[in-house]
Amino acid sequence: MKYRLFGVVVAAASLLVVAARLDAHHGGASFDTSKEITLAGTVTEWIWANPHCFLKFDAKDDTGTVRNWVVETGNPTDMSRSGWARTSFKVGDMVSVTLQPVKSGAPVGRIRSVVLPSGQRLG
């Protein structure tokens, strides 16, 4: 009986540790969720992969300097349900990206929406 109770306690503790790690992975602490910016730029790469898809694009900052932005979205399965696809972007496409930037000021963020060259909005 002692061994069975011990096994249940160990299993429950293990589940809590795993759940905490999953929650930490999906945290947004690095993003400034109070701020959204919109940038017009040129697609340099579209990465359609798990666990997150990434759009890379070049856009000018306030000083006119071109910066290569890397912005993340969800996983391909969830993105597909929202109308996104492996073929949504091609290198050279002109896009308008609304994103939540990281707090550090690096050219990194989380996509809120994208307007494609056709005028279609993905969000």
Side-chain angles (χ1 to χ4, degrees), residues 4-86:
R4 182 178 292 176
L5 179 60
F6 179 74
V8 169
V9 170
V10 168
S14 297
L15 286 173
L16 287 174
V17 168
V18 169
R21 284 187 179 170
L22 287 174
D23 185 48
H25 169 78
H26 289 95
S30 63
F31 298 103
D32 185 351
T33 57
S34 68
K35 187 176 180 183
E36 283 191 1
I37 59 174
T38 301
L39 300 167
T42 306
V43 172
T44 59
E45 188 174 6
W46 171 230
I47 302 167
W48 184 260
N50 280 315
H52 299 277
C53 300
F54 291 91
L55 177 63
K56 296 181 179 184
F57 65 99
D58 287 337
K60 290 184 181 178
D61 65 14
D62 295 339
T63 68
T65 303
V66 175
R67 298 181 82 188
N68 185 253
W69 283 80
V70 178
V71 289
E72 76 172 38
T73 67
N75 64 66
T77 302
D78 290 343
M79 299 308 293
S80 293
R81 291 184 191 128
S82 300
W84 299 66
R86 179 182 302 274

